[in-house]
C-alpha cells in the first residue's frame, strides 16, 4: 500500500509512541505476534478459488427473510420479558418425530440487522469457513500472544490494512474489544513517557470524544481515565464549533479526537472534512470507528473516509467484521508502531482468546467478496433513495432512526410492524435518551424495492412521516 507523507502531528505521535515502546522494551513487557503456520495446506490466494456474482442470488434473501415461533410472536406483541426459553419450552414434539418442534412459525422481513450487504449467506464465505474447519478444526487454542495467531489471522490483517490504506492492522475478537484495546493503550502512553509514574497535567493525553460515540469507545475511555494518564473532553454531537473551542482552550500538546464515522443510533455521518481541517490546524491524532461504514461506503468499500476522500487524514481506523462483512470480529488499522503498542498494552486484546480459524478464513473471503461485488454497494444506496422517495423523509444513510418520542409510541409502532410482517425493533432508554425512543430501520443490499414499498405502507399507518424526526437534537455525553 502506498503510504501518504506524514503530517507534523503524525511525526510527533510517532515519536511519542516510539518512546512509549522503548520504555516497554526496557521493562521487558513488549509483546510479539508470531504467526503459526497451520499444516494442511496454504490458505488459497488465487482469485479463481473465490466465486463472486454480479447480481442478487436466491440465497442472498436468507439474510433478510426470517421466522419466529408463534409463542415468541405473542410474547413480543404483549411486550412480555423473555430469556429466550420459549424456543425450547414453548414447543411440542410429536409421536412421529420426537424432539422435533411442531410450533407454527411466522415469516418476517428483517429490517433491524447489521448485515448491510447480505454477505452472511454468501456461499463463497461459507465454503471458506467450512474448508478451514475441515482442515484445522475450530482452534485457535489460545490468545493471539500465546499460540492463537496463525497465517489465517495474518492474511486477514493484511487484507484489512490494504482496504483501509494503512501500514498494518491488528485483529481483535470483536469491535467492542478493538475500541477497548486502543483506548487502554492510549491511556498507558502518559505514564510510560513519565517514567512509568503518574504523569503531570501537561504530560497527559487530551481525548476529545463525540457525545454520541459508541458504548465501546465510552467504556474504553473510562478505563483509560482510571489509568490517570488522560484528560477527557466531550464535544456536542458533530458540533465542530464546540470542538474547535475546546481544542483552542486546551494547552496540552498530546491531543486525540475520536468519533464514530457513521453513528449507529441516528444514522448520521461525522463531519469528516471539517475534522480533517481541524486536524491540520491543531495537530491532533484522528481516530474513527468505521463499524457501520466499512464495505458500504467508498468505491472499494474502504469506508466513510474513502467516500469523502480523506483517508490520509485518519490516523487510526477501528472496524468490525460483524456488520457489512457478515462474519465476526474487530480490527484496528494503524501504523506498525501503534500496532506494537496496542498488542502490548491493550488488555481486551491481550487477555482474549483469538478469533477461531474458520471465522478468520470466512472474514478474509468476505473482504474479497465485498470489494469485488460492487453491485451490493450500489444496491444498498438505491434502497436509501427508495426510502426517501417513498416516505419523503430526508435520510442520508442505510441506518434510519425514526424518532417517535415516548416508549409507548415506539413499542406500539414496533408491534404494528411485527403484525404486518416486519422485524423492526423499538429502541428505548438507556440506549437512547428519554422521549427520543425510535424505530431503527436498517437497510440491506438484498432488500428489494417491493420490500421498501411494503414497509413504507406499514409505517404510514402507525407514524406521521411529516412529523417524524430522524436525528436526535437532545444529544448528551454518556461518559
Amino acid at each position: 500500500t502506498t503510504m501518504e507523507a506524514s503530517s507534523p502531528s503524525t511525526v510527533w505521535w510517532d515519536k511519542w509512541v516510539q518512546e512509549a515502546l522503548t520504555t516497554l522494551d526496557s521493562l521487558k513487557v513488549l509483546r510479539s505476534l508470531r504467526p503459526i503456520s497451520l499444516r494442511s495446506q496454504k490458505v488459497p490466494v488465487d482469485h479463481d478459488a473465490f466465486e463472486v456474482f454480479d447480481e442478487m442470488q436466491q440465497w442472498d434473501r436468507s439474510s433478510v427473510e426470517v421466522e419466529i415461533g408463534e409463542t415468541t410472536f405473542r410474547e413480543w406483541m404483549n411486550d412480555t420479558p423473555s430469556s429466550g426459553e420459549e424456543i425450547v419450552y414453548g414447543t411440542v414434539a410429536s409421536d412421529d418425530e420426537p424432539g422435533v418442534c411442531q410450533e407454527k412459525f411466522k415469516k418476517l422481513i428483517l429490517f433491524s440487522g447489521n448485515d448491510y450487504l447480505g454477505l452472511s449467506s454468501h456461499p463463497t464465505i461459507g465454503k471458506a469457513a467450512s474448508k478451514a474447519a475441515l482442515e484445522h478444526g475450530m482452534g485457535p487454542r489460545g490468545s493471539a500472544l500465546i499460540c492463537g495467531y496463525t497465517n489465517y489471522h495474518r492474511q486477514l490483517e493484511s487484507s484489512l490494512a490494504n482496504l483501509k490504506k494503512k501500514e498494518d492492522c491488528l485483529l481483535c475478537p470483536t469491535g467492542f474489544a478493538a475500541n477497548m484495546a486502543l483506548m487502554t493503550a492510549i491511556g498507558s502512553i502518559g505514564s510510560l513517557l513519565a517514567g512509568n509514574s503518574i504523569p503531570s497535567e501537561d504530560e497527559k493525553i487530551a481525548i476529545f470524544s463525540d457525545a454520541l460515540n459508541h458504548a465501546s469507545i465510552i467504556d474504553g475511555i473510562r478505563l483509560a481515565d482510571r489509568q490517570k494518564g488522560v484528560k477527557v473532553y466531550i464535544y456536542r454531537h458533530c458540533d465542530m464549533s464546540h470542538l474547535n473551542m475546546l481544542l483552542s482552550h486546551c494547552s496540552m500538546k498530546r491531543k486525540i479526537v475520536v468519533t464514530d464515522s457513521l453513528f449507529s443510533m441516528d444514522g448520521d455521518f461525522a463531519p469528516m472534512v471539517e475534522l480533517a481541517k481541524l486536524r491540520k490546524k491543531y495537530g491532533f491524532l484522528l481516530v474513527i470507528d468505521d463499524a457501520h461504514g466499512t464495505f458500504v461506503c467508498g468505491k472499494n468499500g474502504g469506508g466513510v473516509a474513502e467516500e469523502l476522500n480523506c483517508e490520509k487524514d485518519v490516523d487510526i481506523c477501528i472496524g468490525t467484521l460483524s456488520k457489512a462483512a457478515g462474519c465476526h470480529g474487530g480490527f484496528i488499522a494503524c501504523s506498525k508502531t501503534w500496532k506494537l503498542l496496542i498488542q502490548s498494552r491493550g488488555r481486551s486484546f491481550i487477555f482474549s482468546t483469538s478469533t477461531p480459524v474458520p471465522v478468520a478464513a470466512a472474514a478474509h473471503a468476505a473482504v474479497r467478496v465485498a470489494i469485488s461485488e460492487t453491485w451490493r454497494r450500489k444496491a444498498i444506496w438505491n434502497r436509501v433513495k427508495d426510502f426517501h422517495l417513498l416516505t419523503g423523509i430526508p435520510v442520508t444513510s442505510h441506518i434510519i432512526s425514526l424518532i417517535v418520542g415516548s416508549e409507548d409510541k415506539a413499542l406500539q409502532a414496533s408491534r404494528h410492524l411485527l403484525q404486518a410482517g416486519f422485524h423492526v425493533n423499538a429502541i428505548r432508554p438507556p440506549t437512547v435518551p428519554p422521549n427520543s425512543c425510535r424505530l431503527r430501520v436498517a437497510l440491506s443490499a438484498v432488500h428489494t424495492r417491493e420490500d421498501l414499498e411494503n414497509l413504507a405502507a406499514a409505517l404510514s399507518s402507525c407514524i406521521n412521516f411529516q412529523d417524524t424526526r430522524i436525528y436526535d437534537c437532545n444529544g448528551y455525553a454518556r461518559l
Side-chain angles (χ1 to χ4, degrees):
T1 303
T2 302
M3 301 301 296
E4 297 286 343
S6 296
S7 67
S9 63
T10 304
V11 172
W12 274 109
W13 272 105
D14 287 345
K15 177 177 179 293
W16 293 326
V17 173
Q18 190 58 59
E19 287 178 9
L21 291 174
T22 300
T23 301
L24 289 174
D25 193 30
S26 68
L27 296 170
K28 300 188 184 304
V29 289
L30 202 60
R31 302 305 181 205
S32 300
L33 285 166
R34 308 197 188 281
I36 294 172
S37 292
L38 302 181
R39 281 191 306 117
S40 296
Q41 65 180 56
K42 292 182 179 179
V43 182
V45 295
D46 59 305
H47 286 272
D48 292 337
F50 289 80
E51 191 175 8
V52 294
F53 307 90
D54 57 8
E55 61 183 1
M56 192 189 303
Q57 305 296 318
Q58 70 271 15
W59 53 75
D60 286 314
R61 289 289 291 176
S62 65
S63 69
V64 294
E65 292 179 346
V66 298
E67 293 182 342
I68 61 172
E70 284 191 342
T71 304
T72 301
F73 176 77
R74 287 194 299 272
E75 294 200 349
W76 190 347
M77 290 296 292
N78 295 324
D79 197 30
T80 305
S82 168
S83 60
E85 72 274 12
E86 67 268 12
I87 194 70
V88 177
Y89 300 114
T91 59
V92 180
S94 70
D95 294 333
D96 296 330
E97 295 181 277
V100 177
C101 297
Q102 297 300 306
E103 185 177 23
K104 292 182 179 179
F105 287 84
K106 182 176 178 63
K107 292 183 179 179
L108 300 174
I109 300 297
L110 188 67
F111 273 101
S112 54
N114 292 327
D115 186 12
Y116 301 130
L117 297 186
L119 292 180
S120 64
S121 56
H122 200 289
T124 296
I125 297 168
K127 287 176 184 175
S130 176
K131 184 173 185 294
L134 289 171
E135 290 183 358
H136 309 296
M138 288 304 293
R141 299 181 293 276
S143 65
L145 294 177
I146 303 299
C147 60
Y149 186 68
T150 71
N151 49 318
Y152 283 82
H153 298 81
R154 180 60 212 157
Q155 185 161 316
L156 175 56
E157 287 179 341
S158 296
S159 67
L160 290 167
N162 288 334
L163 177 73
K164 293 295 185 179
K165 293 185 172 57
K166 292 292 177 278
E167 191 178 21
D168 212 331
C169 178
L170 182 67
L171 192 62
C172 295
T174 63
F176 201 109
N179 273 322
M180 292 288 285
L182 174 61
M183 293 303 151
T184 52
I186 288 170
S188 72
I189 293 176
S191 62
L192 288 170
L193 298 183
N196 217 28
S197 59
I198 297 176
S200 65
E201 286 298 306
D202 289 339
E203 292 174 321
K204 289 182 178 181
I205 293 170
I207 299 179
F208 298 82
S209 177
D210 189 288
L212 296 187
N213 274 340
H214 190 264
S216 56
I217 296 175
I218 292 170
D219 286 359
I221 291 175
R222 284 173 174 162
L223 195 53
D225 192 36
R226 287 183 66 87
Q227 295 171 273
K228 303 185 184 303
V230 303
K231 188 172 182 180
V232 183
Y233 299 85
I234 307 300
Y235 63 90
R236 290 188 293 270
H237 179 51
C238 290
D239 188 336
M240 294 299 96
S241 294
H242 189 214
L243 176 59
N244 182 63
M245 184 271 290
L246 291 174
L247 287 164
S248 67
H249 286 83
C250 178
S251 60
M252 301 163 72
K253 61 182 178 180
R254 299 168 186 148
K255 300 180 181 71
I256 291 177
V257 172
V258 57
T259 180
D260 285 15
S261 61
L262 174 56
F263 291 85
S264 61
M265 279 300 124
D266 285 274
D268 57 333
F269 290 95
M272 294 297 300
V273 175
E274 289 84 350
L275 282 166
K277 290 178 181 176
L278 288 177
R279 177 179 175 270
K280 290 174 183 173
K281 180 179 179 181
Y282 292 103
F284 56 73
L285 196 84
L286 180 57
V287 177
I288 68 168
D289 181 346
D290 203 25
H292 297 273
T294 301
F295 304 117
V296 176
C297 300
K299 180 182 178 182
N300 301 301
V304 174
E306 183 191 23
E307 179 73 30
L308 300 176
N309 195 30
C310 56
E311 288 168 300
K312 66 182 182 297
D313 298 301
V314 174
D315 298 288
I316 299 176
C317 181
I318 300 101
T320 181
L321 299 163
S322 65
K323 293 181 172 58
C327 296
H328 188 76
F331 64 89
I332 306 167
C334 55
S335 68
K336 290 183 180 296
T337 51
W338 268 104
K339 178 180 180 178
L340 191 53
L341 178 70
I342 299 164
Q343 72 190 40
S344 299
R345 304 307 280 174
R347 292 170 63 84
S348 60
F349 166 80
I350 295 168
F351 296 104
S352 292
T353 297
S354 188
T355 304
V357 169
V359 176
H364 178 251
V367 173
R368 292 176 55 183
V369 169
I371 293 170
S372 300
E373 295 192 4
T374 57
W375 67 266
R376 292 181 185 269
R377 275 183 288 285
K378 294 175 184 175
I380 193 169
W381 289 108
N382 283 336
R383 299 294 80 80
V384 174
K385 292 176 184 175
D386 288 340
F387 190 92
H388 171 56
L389 291 172
L390 290 164
T391 64
I393 298 174
V395 297
T396 57
S397 79
H398 50 288
I399 299 171
I400 302 166
S401 270
L402 303 173
I403 300 173
V404 297
S406 71
E407 194 165 338
D408 285 343
K409 285 182 180 178
L411 287 171
Q412 187 176 356
S414 178
R415 286 193 287 265
H416 172 80
L417 291 174
L418 182 67
Q419 210 154 23
F422 299 103
H423 189 296
V424 178
N425 280 358
I427 308 298
R428 301 172 281 168
T431 306
V432 295
N435 296 317
S436 70
C437 298
R438 64 200 66 190
L439 297 175
R440 183 181 183 274
V441 176
L443 303 181
S444 167
V446 296
H447 283 131
T448 64
R449 167 79 184 207
E450 183 181 2
D451 291 334
L452 270 291
E453 290 172 350
N454 294 334
L455 176 67
L459 282 169
S460 67
S461 61
C462 62
I463 64 173
N464 187 328
F465 292 153
Q466 291 182 337
D467 295 339
T468 301
R469 291 184 290 121
I470 56 170
Y471 299 127
D472 181 17
C473 60
N474 297 315
Y476 64 107
R478 291 181 289 187
L479 271 175

